[in-house]
Amino acid sequence: MFNWLKSGSPWIWLTGGAVSISLLSVLGLLLLIGWKGLSYFWPAPLYQWKTDQDEILIGQLYAQEYVPISHLREMNITLPEAVVEKGLVKRLSIKVANRDLYPADFVSILEIDVLERSKPQGWAVIERSRGGDFYGYPVGYKQANGHVSDEITLLTDQGLMYAASVREEITKIINQQIRQYSAQAEQLRFEQRRRKLNSELDEAFNQRFDQQTNALNQKLSKAENELDELRNKLKQQGLLVRDMTGAVTFIPLDQMLDIWYPNHLSLVDKVSLWTKQIWKFLSEDPRESNSEGGVFPAMFGTVLLVIIMSVIVMPLGVVAAVYLHEYAKNNALTRVIRVAVINLAGVPSIVYGVFGLGFFVYTLGNSIDQLFYAERLPAPTFGTPGLLWSALTLAVLTLPVVIVATEEGLSRIPSSVRHGSLALGATQFETMWRIVLPMASPAIITGLILAVARAAGEVAPLMLVGAVKLASSLPVDDQFPFLHLERKFMHLGFHIYDVGFQTTNIESARPLVYATAFLLVTVIVGLNLTAISIRNNLREKYRTLGQD
């Protein structure tokens, strides 16, 4: 036994077991997040509960738990003796939706109070642009001329197709007319202010300014009238629905996004609807204070931020590592620099956020505004948190990781390779550029992988330097310069924080937290797998030169 302990085998098994437990824990956590997130989009059936108080509840079974009898007694709830002997009572949490009609999205009842449970036929789930889902029984379709028809399914399908085409036309008018006219009017105002600041304002420009401003205002007014007409068309027709209280509610087309009958769906229909809902989650903008809709702006902002951060941090990190390892002498100064770089890797991320806000935003940004955007002041352009400053802050945060990884890669390259290149007549720069850096590229990519893994999930610094709850537009559009680094952006990590802790309807939005968290992990894994693939190709390419 002593020889077995002395051989080190127990420690090998202990280490292997710890690694296995860690991997299984991570895998289990990912499976839990994925299950909780993806099951949110599955079309759950609608149930009807009849209580002993002759109350009818219709909704989806959200959760169920066992409650101790002592808790119910404290609430002065009378229970039968048979239930008291068991010590526990099952409590059902029912999502009744229709938040504009009922005081709450969810209702809790005890299972002992339920007399009957069934699946009502003909009841629909109506996805709305505001107010959340609506559960009800369609009783008629109100047409644009005011006539109520009983051809509900046919007219509803046609109405949804018509509403989708009208929304596309509305989006087209907003993007191609209103935003362009507004941008042109803003440029005219900036030009007028710039001339005024430079004492170049003359009568000829004032006349041209008035003419162009009046023309743009007329175009804007015309476009807004077209929008009002299109929106009114959607308000005139819609669906008449009876809720669980028996009241009939009119849901106009401008609020309806989709409708399905969950109790009538086959398995294939459910899978198709589930896939459709996931695609809408990935491709649409958020609604209802981020508690409804999709996360496309947040996903786009996260990926764009990581790409810009990588473009900034890689040259800086590689140049710093090459200088420290290849050119700088091994003296007290370089040793202090290396210790400082290693220590920077342990600085809390919120400190980098404060540094980015103070240096990048308030110092560099304000200076840029004073030099190049004086006509826009006091409204800041770069002197406010934005995408560029967020990318620079994350670049500073991940810079030590890239420097250390690159130096380790440079140290593994044999000195004979450098000496052979110099002996053949190459300069030190040519040796570095054509021989050393290509051989060290797998280690450089490893530094990039570690940087992406840390930066993509950071939230605390981004809350100070650019990430917002809801961005009015993406940082990329069809207007020059196409990539707007000064704009604020949405981020998946901040979106998770906002939905999980800041929304007014946390219980309803909780599944979105799981779905967004799973998406964030998927995005990070996708970025890392791309970098790992590049690294493996480079490693195979330079394996013959001694790189392992």
Side-chain angles (χ1 to χ4, degrees):
M1 183 68 177
F2 178 76
N3 292 332
W4 182 66
L5 293 174
K6 188 176 180 180
S7 66
S9 297
W11 315 119
I12 297 175
W13 282 100
L14 183 62
T15 304
V19 172
S20 301
I21 293 174
S22 300
L23 291 177
L24 290 176
S25 301
V26 172
L27 181 61
L29 178 61
L30 292 179
L31 290 176
L32 174 64
I33 295 174
W35 172 259
K36 290 283 189 177
L38 296 178
S39 62
Y40 168 71
F41 305 103
W42 186 260
L46 286 177
Y47 292 101
Q48 175 177 300
W49 289 268
K50 183 179 180 181
T51 68
D52 54 4
Q53 302 294 329
D54 289 333
E55 182 183 6
I56 300 297
L57 295 177
I58 296 180
Q60 295 175 345
L61 181 59
Y62 182 76
Q64 49 187 344
E65 60 180 350
Y66 286 93
V67 183
I69 297 297
S70 58
H71 292 180
L72 299 177
R73 283 177 173 174
E74 292 177 358
M75 301 171 61
N76 296 323
I77 297 178
T78 304
L79 300 172
E81 287 296 330
V83 175
V84 173
E85 294 177 357
K86 296 181 180 179
L88 294 174
V89 177
K90 182 183 289 188
R91 182 168 60 188
L92 308 178
S93 179
I94 302 171
K95 182 179 180 181
V96 295
N98 305 12
R99 65 180 61 155
D100 52 343
L101 301 179
Y102 309 148
D105 276 12
F106 296 88
V107 174
S108 295
I109 60 173
L110 300 178
E111 190 178 42
I112 58 175
D113 296 333
V114 176
L115 299 179
E116 180 184 353
R117 189 181 81 165
S118 61
K119 289 184 179 180
Q121 299 300 307
W123 282 72
V125 176
I126 302 171
E127 183 181 3
R128 299 185 294 177
S129 59
R130 57 182 180 273
D133 292 342
F134 192 98
Y135 302 159
Y137 185 88
V139 296
Y141 187 89
K142 182 180 179 181
Q143 297 176 319
N145 57 9
H147 175 69
V148 178
S149 174
D150 56 358
E151 297 181 1
I152 300 174
T153 304
L154 176 61
L155 293 179
T156 301
D157 293 340
Q158 294 178 354
L160 289 175
M161 294 176 60
Y162 173 71
S165 63
V166 171
R167 290 191 182 98
E168 290 180 359
E169 185 66 23
I170 290 175
T171 303
K172 183 178 178 181
I173 292 175
I174 293 175
N175 292 334
Q176 298 183 3
Q177 297 184 36
I178 291 181
R179 287 186 177 177
Q180 290 187 5
Y181 298 154
S182 299
Q184 293 174 12
E186 188 178 24
Q187 290 298 326
L188 279 175
R189 289 193 295 269
F190 290 153
E191 179 64 18
Q192 183 189 45
R193 179 169 172 80
R194 185 188 65 79
R195 287 173 174 267
K196 185 177 181 179
L197 292 174
N198 297 330
S199 301
E200 298 176 355
L201 198 60
D202 53 17
E203 187 63 29
F205 176 81
N206 287 334
Q207 292 179 359
R208 187 170 72 253
F209 174 81
D210 292 337
Q211 293 176 355
Q212 294 180 357
T213 300
N214 291 333
L216 289 174
N217 288 336
Q218 292 177 2
K219 292 180 180 179
L220 277 173
S221 178
K222 181 180 179 181
E224 291 173 354
N225 290 334
E226 292 180 5
L227 284 181
D228 291 338
E229 292 178 0
L230 291 175
R231 288 166 178 162
N232 288 331
K233 289 181 179 179
L234 295 182
K235 293 180 180 179
Q236 295 173 358
Q237 53 181 313
L239 197 62
L240 295 173
V241 185
R242 185 179 69 244
D243 64 6
M244 66 183 185
T245 64
V248 177
T249 303
F250 174 66
I251 304 178
L253 276 182
D254 67 329
Q255 296 183 19
M256 290 181 58
L257 298 177
D258 200 357
I259 182 174
W260 62 90
Y261 298 83
N263 295 341
H264 298 178
L265 296 177
S266 64
L267 179 60
V268 175
D269 295 331
K270 290 182 178 180
V271 172
S272 176
L273 182 59
W274 178 72
T275 306
K276 178 182 177 182
Q277 292 297 107
I278 292 178
W279 172 248
K280 290 166 68 174
F281 174 72
L282 297 176
S283 61
E284 291 186 354
D285 294 340
R287 309 186 308 269
E288 295 289 313
S289 188
N290 289 342
S291 62
E292 302 282 349
V295 293
F296 176 74
M299 182 174 60
F300 184 86
T302 302
V303 175
L304 182 61
L305 174 68
V306 170
I307 292 175
I308 296 176
M309 181 274 299
S310 303
V311 172
I312 295 173
V313 73
M314 289 306 296
L316 294 176
V318 171
V319 168
V322 168
Y323 173 77
L324 289 174
H325 190 272
E326 301 293 333
Y327 293 94
K329 297 180 180 180
N330 188 17
N331 50 32
L333 178 60
T334 57
R335 287 194 292 271
V336 169
I337 293 175
R338 285 191 174 92
V339 172
V341 169
I342 295 174
N343 289 335
L344 283 175
V347 174
S349 60
I350 190 64
V351 176
Y352 287 101
V354 174
F355 168 77
L357 181 65
F359 180 71
F360 292 133
V361 178
Y362 291 155
T363 303
L364 290 183
N366 285 339
S367 300
I368 293 174
D369 285 347
Q370 293 290 343
L371 290 174
F372 302 104
Y373 299 97
E375 69 277 3
R376 302 191 179 197
L377 294 174
T381 301
F382 281 94
T384 185
L387 179 62
L388 176 61
W389 307 135
S390 298
L392 284 172
T393 300
L394 291 185
V396 174
L397 186 148
T398 56
L399 186 61
V401 177
V402 178
I403 293 176
V404 172
T406 304
E407 270 205 275
E408 290 179 355
L410 292 173
S411 63
R412 290 200 300 265
I413 298 176
S415 299
S416 58
V417 175
R418 299 178 178 85
H419 296 161
S421 175
L422 295 174
L424 292 174
T427 63
Q428 187 175 7
F429 175 78
E430 290 174 338
T431 300
M432 182 60 56
W433 182 255
R434 297 180 179 273
I435 304 297
V436 177
L437 284 181
M439 293 180 64
S441 55
I444 296 174
I445 301 299
T446 300
L448 174 63
I449 295 171
L450 297 175
V452 168
R454 182 178 182 187
E458 287 291 348
V459 179
L462 299 181
M463 295 171 65
L464 299 176
V465 292
V468 293
K469 174 186 178 72
L470 187 63
S472 58
S473 58
L474 295 176
V476 177
D477 57 23
D478 56 353
Q479 297 181 5
F480 183 84
F482 310 117
L483 177 60
H484 303 274
L485 298 176
E486 77 281 1
R487 290 183 182 175
K488 294 177 176 59
F489 64 98
M490 296 181 65
H491 187 271
L492 284 174
F494 186 76
H495 190 272
I496 294 171
Y497 163 76
D498 178 70
V499 174
F501 301 97
Q502 299 298 311
T503 184
T504 57
N505 196 351
I506 296 177
E507 189 67 28
S508 178
R510 182 185 299 173
L512 281 179
V513 176
Y514 289 103
T516 309
F518 183 70
L519 177 61
L520 177 59
V521 173
T522 304
V523 169
I524 295 175
V525 170
L527 293 171
N528 286 338
L529 288 178
T530 302
I532 290 173
S533 176
I534 297 174
R535 182 188 64 182
N536 291 340
N537 291 334
L538 293 173
R539 183 173 289 172
E540 289 295 329
K541 181 177 180 180
Y542 296 106
R543 185 181 297 276
T544 57
L545 297 178
Q547 180 71 13
D548 52 28

